[in-house]
């Protein structure tokens, strides 16, 4: 199940909100019991939510919950025995990484072995960068369970924080299970660190302020995803469906920029919905995006884009490796490692690896000398434009199915040629209007960068309410239209 | 502001809860209103039911069920399609204004392509067919005079009483004495011609035929639903099944592939010859090839495309009779359009031309195409798979017309079994068993062929083994395919060869 679906908006969410607020109110239990009941309700709904994506994957989720709950328990209750604590940490972390590796990277590993050792076609480099194997080893493809990258990282953050003493052991299995499986952030983040939510699981309230803010946030996120991201995505997909080496520069650039907006509105839209729903249930999650396209440098970009992931890598990889406290060489090495892992985390394809590595190199260059140049430049829009351009080109690598297609597309972006009518073939009135909105609200033109979280003044709040409801209605209409699926008896 | 918040929260709850409740109540209490609000485009499928094949499927089935039963679904889809089509038209007008118009030229068409079927009925001239020579110094008498008609020459026969020698002097055909009854100017959508009716024989014929003009201005290719291409003058085309590669000529078969295909065709031909089965291949052009002048501006790599190359190769390298009526269907447009405007298929007029060309190849009697065109009665066409596939609003498209030739109305036929294996019996006296293996394009051949044979069988590909006995007992076997499924014919032939090789002696 996804948030931007009719079954979620019209069935699951109403039932969940109803159960969460109405059942405890009817039972009139004491506060502590009410909270326990509410947590159980959320846990049940979270497991049902996950089951929609594949009922058998519930077993995997519960397995991850179990090993980390037990791991955290052993770590937290090993007293002064540093050896035991470390062993428990290593075992738990290894188990988590093994599970993630198996489901996410096993197919790519098999493909690499098949292409390198069982295929005579193409050069070494061609075979190295092919994402699909030839089936020589006869393995069935492993299906990636939805959300695994997110909840494994959440589990890892728990055991490491317990080990470091940054968080207390969660003795209640159901509360821990709720932390790992809570449906608003289960499949697409934000990656919530246990220490940030520990208190809220055991103690939280919802008032009309928080609930209404949550609804506004949810509706905005839904609108971002359904109205902007899906519309631009349709256009982007239609361009990528053709031979990208034949498209003109105008088409290539416009498509690349559309994809930059698509991925931003899609991902930040999802995060908005997650944060919004969290608020409806009394949780305050940290922000995950902060107008990233207003960044004046790549370094700033990664402070504003997918903040929960970059802060996770900062806290659990960069800082333990020494961060920037040691030599310059060590700092550069640490940056490189973090972005290598960031790339790999995003997917099992050489494109993600290269995407991450290029960012690592750029960040090193910015740290070395480029950063000061960009951030102190008085021509702020030039820096923003440069950063946006670099980010957009790198999104092309991220989007491509394989690296050769990515290079083909990038080559099209820089191919000279006049009178490129090709773009007109892919545009429509709908795409043009959506693009304008996407550009205006991307934050690129913001004079003061501020924050996505800015609160509207009370006297203008009614605009927020009306906008939210209009976005909800339009999104629902578009989702309904999206269910149109004619069957033509073509097979003759 | 608190009251504002409460109203807002209440509105949100209402919007996510109430529509479903209202929809369910409408379904239970006011079915007519429910149906009218749910009326939308016909998706030609049943709505998802709550049927679970296995537990792993529950999530997908529930999601699909909710999608198919969403509140006011039909009305909302119709609304969105109207907006989509409207905005599309605004965009196309704007782009056309921006890109301007190109020079006009005439449609490239072989006007003689239908000559084997009577051509375009132009007044047949008084061609001198010659005669026999008289011998000098003999005395001949006129013994017989056959007067010429409008289209056939007459003759005078002279005989010498003494020697018995005779000679014939042809009398040229009179030609039609036509009265001009209609004049049409050539345009993007109409042919130019002068239409005459002969006052002597009543025949309709045409002169000064000018093919349609071609709009060569740039039209940006626009698509919808991943399948439908917007062409010129409200024509729609198909891009599925790799049709664009066929159109652009970018998917030519290699020499090896052509040879392989020919080997299979030849083997099938030999097996049919051994069994005394008349075998014919019919490759029906994709609509994009026949009405290429209405396609938007794609870059076409070669005009000698895959199936044309294939059928030429098969004719040169096998004994098979292979038809690819591209030129004929383009020429046939002179009388009536040969394909549906909003559908991927040819229409009943195109199907009729196909049948006549098949009969011509079989050596059967055919109907003059000009006469047939006069016998074709127009009716509103309901074929619109491209509108459905494109998620478009059918009400915004002008009506399309189909043309059914009033062919042998005295012959009745009866359907004995339904598609995908349709058997017909008719009151025709021809007892030859006609079997056709093909795809949905056979539907436009059926109204005509069925009247010419007592027993006809039309089977969709992949049903060959189910019709083993019929294939073995066929007198005539036609392998039909639309151009974009030429690969499927290759597979189908494997089954036919297997059946014929291992059938009863």
């Amino acid at each position: 199940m996804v948030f931007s679906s009719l079954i979620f908006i019209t069935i699951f969410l109403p039932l969940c909100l109803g159960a969460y607020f109405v059942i405890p109110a009817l039972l009139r239990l004491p506060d502590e019991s009410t909270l326990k009941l509410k947590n159980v309700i959320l846990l049940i709904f979270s497991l049902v939510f996950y089951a929609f994506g594949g009922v058998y994957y519930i077993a995997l989720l519960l397995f991850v919950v179990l090993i980390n709950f037990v791991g955290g328990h052993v770590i937290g209750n090993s007293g002064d025995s540093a050896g035991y604590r470390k062993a428990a940490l290593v075992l738990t972390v290894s188990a988590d990484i093994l599970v993630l590796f198996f489901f996410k990277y096993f197919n790519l590993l098999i493909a690499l072995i098949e292409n390198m050792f069982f295929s005579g076609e193409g050069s070494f480099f061609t075979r190295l960068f092919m994402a699909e194997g030839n089936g020589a080893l006869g393995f069935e493809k492993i299906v990636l369970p939805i959300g695994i990258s997110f909840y494994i990282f959440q589990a890892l953050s728990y055991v490491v924080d317990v080990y470091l003493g940054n968080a207390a052991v969660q003795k209640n299995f159901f509360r821990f299970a709720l932390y790992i499986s809570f449906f608003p952030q289960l499949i697409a983040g934000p990656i919530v660190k246990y220490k940030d939510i520990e208190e809220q699981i055991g103690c939280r309230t919802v008032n009309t302020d928080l609930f209404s803010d949550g609804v506004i946030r949810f509706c905005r996120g839904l609108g971002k995803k359904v109205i902007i991201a899906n519309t631009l995505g349709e256009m982007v997909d239609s361009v990528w469906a053709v031979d990208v080496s034949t498209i003109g520069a105008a088409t290539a650039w416009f498509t690349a920029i559309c994809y930059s907006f698509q991925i931003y509105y899609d991902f930040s839209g999802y995060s908005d919905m997650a944060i919004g729903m969290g608020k409806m249930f009394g949780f305050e999650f940290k922000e995950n995006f902060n107008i990233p396209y207003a960044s004046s440098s790549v370094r700033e970009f990664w402070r504003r884009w997918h903040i929960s992931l970059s802060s996770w890598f900062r806290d659990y990889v960069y800082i333990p490796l020494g961060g920037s406290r040691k030599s310059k060489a060590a700092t550069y090495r640490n940056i490189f490692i973090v972005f290598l892992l960031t790339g790999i985390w995003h997917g099992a394809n050489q494109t993600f690896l290269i995407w991450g590595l290029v960012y690592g190199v750029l960040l090193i260059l910015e740290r070395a000398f480029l950063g000061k140049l960009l951030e102190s430049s008085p021509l702020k829009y030039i820096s923003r434009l440069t950063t946006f351009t670099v980010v957009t080109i790198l999104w092309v690598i991220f989007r491509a199915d394989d690296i050769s297609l990515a290079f083909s597309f990038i080559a099209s972006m820089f191919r000279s040629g006049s009178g490129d009518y090709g773009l007109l073939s892919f545009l429509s009135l709908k795409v043009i209007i959506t693009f304008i909105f996407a550009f205006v609200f991307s934050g690129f033109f913001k004079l003061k960068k501020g924050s996505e979280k800015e609160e509207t003044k009370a006297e203008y709040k009614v605009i927020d309410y009306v906008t939210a409801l209009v976005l909800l209605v339009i999104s629902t209409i578009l989702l309904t239209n999206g269910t149109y699926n004619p069957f033509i008896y073509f097979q003759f | 502001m608190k009251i504002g918040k409460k109203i807002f929260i209440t509105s949100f709850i209402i919007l996510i809860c109430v529509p479903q409740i209202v929809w369910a109540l409408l379904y239970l209490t006011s079915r007519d209103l429910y149906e009218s609000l749910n009326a939308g485009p016909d998706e030609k499928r049943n709505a998802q039911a709550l049927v679970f094949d296995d537990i792993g499927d529950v999530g997908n089935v529930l999601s699909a069920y909710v999608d198919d039963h969403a509140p006011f679904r039909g009305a909302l889809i119709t609304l969105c399609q109207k907006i989509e089509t409207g905005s599309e038209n605004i965009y196309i007008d704007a782009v056309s204004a921006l890109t301007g118009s190109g020079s006009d030229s005439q449609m490239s068409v072989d006007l003689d392509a239908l000559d084997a079927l009577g051509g375009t009925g132009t007044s047949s001239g008084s061609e001198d067919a010659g005669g026999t020579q008289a011998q000098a110094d003999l005395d001949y008498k006129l013994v017989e005079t056959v007067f010429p008609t409008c289209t056939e020459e007459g003759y005078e026969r002279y005989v010498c009483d003494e020697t018995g020698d005779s000679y014939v002097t042809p009398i040229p055909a009179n030609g039609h004495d036509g009265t001009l009854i209609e004049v049409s100017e050539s345009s993007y959508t109409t042919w130019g011609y002068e239409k005459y009716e002969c006052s002597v024989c009543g025949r309709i014929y045409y002169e000064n035929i000018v093919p349609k003009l071609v709009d060569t201005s740039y039209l940006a290719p626009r698509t919808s639903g991943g399948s439908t291409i917007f062409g010129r003058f409200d024509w729609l085309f198909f891009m599925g099944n790799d049709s664009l590669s066929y159109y652009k000529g970018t998917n030519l078969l290699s020499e090896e592939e052509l040879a392989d295909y020919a080997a299979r065709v030849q083997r099938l031909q030999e097996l049919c010859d051994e069994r005394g089965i008349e075998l014919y291949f019919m490759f029906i052009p994709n609509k994009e090839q026949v009405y290429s002048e209405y396609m938007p501006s794609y870059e076409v790599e070669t005009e000698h495309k895959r199936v044309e190359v294939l059928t030429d190769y098969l004719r040169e390298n096998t004994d098979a009779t292979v038809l690819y009526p591209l030129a004929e269907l383009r020429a046939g447009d002179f009388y009536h359009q040969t394909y549906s405007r909003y559908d991927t298929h040819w229409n009943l007029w195109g199907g009729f031309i196909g049948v006549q060309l098949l009969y011509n190849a079989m050596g059967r009697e055919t109907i003059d195409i000009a006469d047939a065109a006069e016998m074709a009665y127009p009716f509103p066409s309901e074929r619109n798979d491209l509108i459905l596939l494109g998620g478009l609003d059918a009400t915004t498209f002008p009506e399309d017309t189909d043309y059914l030739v009033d062919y042998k109305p005295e012959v009745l036929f009866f359907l004995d079994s339904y598609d995908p294996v349709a058997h017909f019996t008719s009151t025709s006296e021809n007892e030859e068993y006609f079997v056709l293996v093909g795809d949905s394009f056979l539907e436009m051949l059926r109204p005509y062929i069925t009247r010419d044979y007592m027993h006809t069988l039309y089977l969709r590909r992949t049903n060959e083994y189910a019709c083993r006995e019929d294939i073995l007992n066929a007198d005539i076997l036609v392998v039909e395919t639309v151009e974009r499924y030429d690969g499927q014919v290759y597979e189908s032939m494997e089954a036919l060869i297997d059946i014929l090789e291992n059938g009863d002696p």
Side-chain angles (χ1 to χ4, degrees):
Chain A
M1 202 192 303
V2 295
F3 300 156
S4 54
S5 65
L6 288 175
I7 192 167
F8 181 84
I9 296 167
T10 64
I11 307 289
F12 185 90
L13 186 61
L15 285 176
C16 187
L17 287 170
Y20 188 81
F21 289 104
V22 171
I23 295 175
L26 288 174
L27 293 175
R28 295 179 191 230
L29 299 170
D31 287 351
E32 205 181 303
S33 303
T34 297
L35 189 64
K36 275 186 189 167
L37 177 62
K38 284 185 169 181
N39 285 344
V40 167
I41 289 169
L42 287 181
L43 177 62
I44 291 169
F45 272 87
S46 297
L47 293 177
V48 167
F49 178 87
Y50 198 64
F52 260 76
V55 71
Y56 304 111
Y57 290 123
I58 290 281
L60 176 68
L61 178 65
L62 290 174
F63 174 71
V64 169
V65 168
L66 187 64
I67 57 172
N68 285 276
F69 178 74
V70 168
H73 207 76
V74 170
I75 293 167
N77 293 313
S78 294
D80 296 326
S81 172
Y84 262 136
R85 296 180 76 244
K86 196 160 193 174
L89 175 72
V90 168
L91 276 171
T92 312
V93 167
S94 301
D96 285 337
I97 290 175
L98 204 65
V99 167
L100 181 62
F101 181 85
F102 176 73
F103 281 99
K104 195 152 183 169
Y105 305 107
F106 184 76
N107 293 337
L108 181 64
L109 176 67
I110 295 299
L112 276 170
I113 295 171
E114 285 174 346
N115 291 332
M116 299 313 296
F117 301 108
F118 295 92
S119 165
E121 295 173 23
S123 66
F124 171 82
F125 283 107
T126 312
R127 284 182 279 134
L128 182 66
F129 287 104
M130 281 164 65
E132 295 292 326
N134 58 19
L137 293 176
F139 280 99
E140 290 243 355
K141 281 206 167 176
I142 307 285
V143 176
L144 181 70
I146 196 166
I148 192 170
S149 306
F150 292 93
Y151 64 74
I152 291 278
F153 266 40
Q154 290 202 173
L156 284 169
S157 87
Y158 168 73
V159 290
V160 171
D161 279 342
V162 167
Y163 177 81
L164 294 173
N166 295 332
V169 177
Q170 177 51 262
K171 293 177 183 165
N172 185 312
F173 178 79
F174 296 105
R175 285 187 180 183
F176 183 71
L178 178 61
Y179 161 64
I180 297 290
S181 66
F182 189 33
F183 73 85
Q185 21 84 221
L186 175 62
I187 60 170
I191 299 170
V192 177
K193 296 193 197 88
Y194 181 73
K195 59 189 176 189
D196 295 334
I197 205 171
E198 185 179 7
E199 209 179 300
Q200 296 175 69
I201 291 179
C203 176
R204 65 185 181 276
T205 53
V206 186
N207 55 30
T208 48
D209 279 340
L210 193 63
F211 193 90
S212 62
D213 283 349
V215 170
I216 290 171
R217 203 64 194 269
F218 175 82
C219 293
R220 276 190 190 155
L222 183 67
K224 277 178 166 180
K225 163 76 179 134
V226 175
I227 300 171
I228 297 182
N230 285 0
T231 304
L232 295 181
E234 232 178 86
M235 184 257 173
V236 168
D237 290 347
S238 69
V239 175
W240 276 95
V242 305
D243 179 354
V244 296
S245 67
T246 65
I247 60 176
T251 305
W253 274 105
F254 187 80
T255 305
I257 294 169
C258 276
Y259 183 69
S260 297
F261 290 141
Q262 177 199 342
I263 194 168
Y264 167 61
Y265 282 100
D266 195 302
F267 206 171
S268 70
Y270 242 83
S271 294
D272 284 346
M273 285 194 268
I275 291 167
M277 279 190 286
K279 286 181 192 255
M280 288 185 216
F281 296 112
F283 290 93
E284 290 264 28
F285 298 143
K286 288 189 172 177
E287 293 299 323
N288 209 16
F289 290 86
N290 188 5
I291 43 171
Y293 293 143
S295 303
S296 301
S297 64
V298 169
R299 196 166 160 188
E300 188 183 355
F301 175 77
W302 277 102
R303 287 201 297 263
R304 294 172 172 272
W305 178 274
H306 201 177
I307 299 166
S308 64
L309 180 73
S310 51
S311 70
W312 193 99
F313 275 114
R314 180 198 61 211
D315 290 351
Y316 301 111
V317 178
Y318 186 68
I319 289 173
L321 285 174
S324 54
R325 293 191 305 271
K326 297 183 179 170
S327 66
K328 272 192 183 171
T331 303
Y332 297 160
R333 178 206 64 196
N334 297 340
I335 291 172
F336 192 80
I337 290 171
V338 163
F339 277 87
L340 174 70
L341 294 175
T342 301
I344 292 172
W345 181 90
H346 278 85
N349 193 315
Q350 294 88 336
T351 51
F352 299 115
L353 175 71
I354 290 169
W355 174 80
L357 286 177
V358 173
Y359 267 121
V361 168
L362 288 173
L363 280 156
I364 290 168
L365 288 174
E366 280 193 6
R367 204 171 251 276
F369 65 95
L370 206 50
K372 283 182 190 153
L373 207 67
L374 289 167
E375 284 175 12
S376 64
S377 165
L379 303 166
K380 85 170 120 212
Y381 285 106
I382 301 292
S383 304
R384 283 194 196 180
L385 187 62
T386 313
T387 306
F388 183 74
T389 305
V390 167
V391 165
T392 293
I393 293 173
L394 290 175
W395 280 135
V396 171
I397 300 176
F398 190 90
R399 170 63 178 76
D401 288 338
D402 65 59
I403 200 66
S404 63
L405 277 175
F407 288 150
S408 209
F409 194 102
I410 293 171
S412 295
M413 290 165 90
F414 295 97
R415 181 179 297 123
S416 65
S418 59
D420 177 28
Y421 281 114
L423 180 59
L424 295 175
S425 314
F426 297 105
L427 287 180
S428 66
L429 192 62
K430 185 173 71 173
V431 166
I432 292 170
I433 292 173
T434 307
F435 181 84
I436 291 169
F437 274 96
F439 204 26
V440 165
F441 291 108
S442 66
F444 185 85
F445 295 107
K446 270 204 148 191
L447 289 172
K448 286 187 185 175
K449 287 183 189 178
S451 153
E452 285 193 19
K453 206 183 154 185
E454 276 169 2
E455 291 290 325
T456 313
K457 289 186 189 163
E459 54 265 39
Y460 300 124
K461 204 73 178 171
V462 70
I463 298 175
D464 281 354
Y465 295 153
V466 171
T467 311
L469 295 175
V470 167
L471 287 174
L472 175 65
V473 168
I474 294 175
S475 302
T476 310
I477 290 173
L478 289 177
L479 286 173
T480 306
N481 185 48
T483 67
Y484 176 70
N485 184 22
F487 175 77
I488 305 297
Y489 180 52
F490 255 7
Q491 199 28 273
F492 315 97
Chain B
M1 224 37 229
K2 261 196 175 169
I3 189 88
K5 261 185 214 118
K6 288 184 178 169
I7 294 172
F8 171 62
I9 291 170
T10 309
S11 303
F12 172 72
I13 302 295
I14 288 171
L15 283 172
I16 65 171
C17 294
V18 168
Q20 297 79 266
I21 298 169
V22 167
W23 197 237
L25 285 172
L26 268 177
Y27 181 80
L28 293 168
T29 61
S30 178
R31 196 61 66 91
D32 287 340
L33 186 57
Y34 173 89
E35 295 297 344
S36 70
L37 288 170
N38 201 34
D42 181 7
E43 290 171 82
K44 295 192 187 333
R45 63 175 177 89
N46 294 323
Q48 176 71 50
L50 286 174
V51 173
F52 306 104
D53 289 332
D54 77 62
I55 192 171
D57 215 28
V58 169
N60 291 333
V61 169
L62 284 173
S63 294
Y65 181 85
V66 169
D67 284 349
D68 279 354
H69 296 85
F72 313 103
R73 181 174 182 272
L76 291 175
I77 289 174
T78 304
L79 172 66
C80 289
Q81 287 184 351
K82 281 193 191 305
I83 294 171
E84 181 85 36
T85 308
S87 73
E88 182 62 35
N89 290 335
I90 293 171
Y91 179 77
I92 288 174
D93 289 343
V95 168
S96 300
L98 190 69
T99 54
S101 58
S103 59
D104 298 335
S105 60
Q106 277 183 0
M107 174 184 172
S108 162
V109 62
D110 178 5
L111 291 174
D112 299 328
L114 288 171
D115 271 359
L117 304 179
T120 46
T122 49
S123 62
S124 73
S126 43
E127 276 185 34
D128 184 3
T132 51
Q133 295 294 322
Q135 284 192 45
D137 302 330
L138 290 178
D139 188 16
Y140 290 88
K141 281 185 192 165
L142 175 65
V143 297
E144 186 187 2
T145 304
V146 172
F147 291 102
T149 65
C150 298
T151 54
E152 289 176 13
E153 65 173 16
Y155 61 85
E156 286 175 334
R157 191 160 65 86
Y158 294 85
V159 174
C160 173
D161 284 338
E162 287 178 28
T163 63
D165 187 46
S166 68
Y167 73 91
V168 170
T169 304
I171 307 171
N174 295 329
H176 292 296
D177 181 14
T179 306
L180 181 65
I181 56 173
E182 190 183 326
V183 174
S184 172
E185 291 292 324
S186 171
S187 73
Y188 294 135
T189 54
T190 56
W191 293 65
Y193 58 81
E194 288 171 1
K195 185 175 181 181
Y196 293 86
E197 183 176 11
C198 179
S199 57
V200 175
C201 66
R203 185 173 160 93
I204 302 292
Y205 64 94
Y206 300 86
E207 286 185 356
N208 297 319
I209 295 171
V210 178
K212 289 175 181 171
L213 297 178
V214 179
D215 182 0
T216 57
S217 64
Y218 181 84
L219 178 65
R222 315 267 304 101
T223 62
S224 184
S227 296
T228 301
I229 300 171
F230 293 100
R232 300 178 195 266
F233 314 115
D234 292 320
W235 276 71
L236 301 177
F237 296 93
F238 189 49
M239 62 183 288
N241 302 128
D242 203 25
S243 293
L244 275 178
S245 298
Y246 285 84
Y247 176 68
K248 293 181 188 177
T250 55
N251 63 346
L252 299 177
L253 293 166
S254 65
E255 273 299 317
E256 203 182 310
E257 286 168 325
L258 287 168
D260 205 27
Y261 209 110
R264 202 166 271 206
V265 165
Q266 181 63 19
R267 180 61 187 141
L268 183 59
Q269 180 67 57
E270 285 164 2
L271 288 167
C272 286
D273 288 343
E274 282 170 24
R275 290 182 170 273
I277 301 172
E278 288 179 47
L279 175 67
Y280 303 92
F281 287 87
M282 181 178 267
F283 290 81
I284 301 166
N286 286 340
K287 180 179 165 184
E288 299 77 51
Q289 314 287 26
V290 179
Y291 284 91
S292 53
E293 284 79 10
Y294 293 156
M295 281 281 279
S297 304
Y298 285 105
E299 207 172 298
V300 175
E301 274 194 19
T302 172
E303 288 301 332
H304 201 46
K305 300 172 193 176
R306 175 184 169 115
V307 168
E308 194 169 5
V309 170
L310 171 65
T311 50
D312 284 346
Y313 188 93
L314 293 176
R315 281 188 217 102
E316 285 163 26
N317 294 281
T318 72
D319 300 323
T321 306
V322 180
L323 302 173
Y324 178 60
L326 176 58
E328 291 87 347
L329 287 165
R330 283 172 65 81
D333 179 73
F334 169 71
Y335 298 101
H336 308 294
Q337 72 187 53
T338 51
Y339 280 69
S340 295
R341 231 201 241 192
Y342 312 127
D343 199 271
T344 56
H345 296 84
W346 59 358
N347 62 12
L348 290 164
W349 173 240
F352 179 80
I353 292 176
V355 170
Q356 297 303 294
L357 289 168
L358 175 65
Y359 285 174
N360 190 56
M362 290 165 68
R364 274 188 64 106
E365 197 184 321
T366 57
I367 291 178
D368 185 279
I369 205 75
D371 291 340
E374 291 299 311
M375 281 158 50
Y377 65 85
F379 62 94
S381 172
E382 289 181 356
R383 296 199 76 102
N384 63 355
D385 57 21
L386 290 167
I387 290 178
L388 292 175
L389 280 172
L392 303 169
D393 176 14
T395 62
T396 61
F397 289 88
E399 193 177 78
D400 189 22
T401 306
D402 201 345
Y403 302 86
L404 176 65
V405 177
D406 193 17
Y407 186 75
K408 298 187 180 177
E410 69 281 6
V411 177
L412 306 175
F413 61 82
F414 313 94
L415 176 64
D416 302 322
S417 64
Y418 292 99
D419 288 321
V421 177
H423 185 272
F424 288 81
T425 311
S426 79
T427 55
S428 168
E429 290 176 357
N430 185 347
E431 293 184 356
E432 288 177 301
Y433 191 22
F434 185 104
V435 174
L436 187 146
V437 183
D439 46 46
S440 60
F441 277 66
L442 64 82
E443 289 174 25
M444 277 56 81
L445 302 167
R446 213 149 54 182
Y448 310 113
I449 294 175
T450 306
R451 289 185 154 91
D452 285 320
Y453 295 89
M454 191 184 289
H455 294 288
T456 47
L457 180 73
Y458 307 90
L459 59 124
R460 304 298 171 98
R461 283 189 292 274
T462 72
N463 289 281
E464 293 86 348
Y465 286 105
C467 301
R468 173 188 286 269
E469 290 303 314
D470 300 281
I471 290 165
L472 289 169
N473 292 319
D475 295 298
I476 297 151
L477 178 63
V478 175
V479 177
E480 172 272 317
T481 183
V482 65
E483 181 171 351
R484 61 179 175 272
Y485 285 130
D486 62 322
Q488 290 190 6
V489 165
Y490 184 80
E491 306 299 328
S492 174
M493 282 195 286
E494 194 177 322
L496 293 171
I497 288 168
D498 184 44
I499 289 167
L500 292 171
E501 277 178 345
N502 298 305
D504 298 328

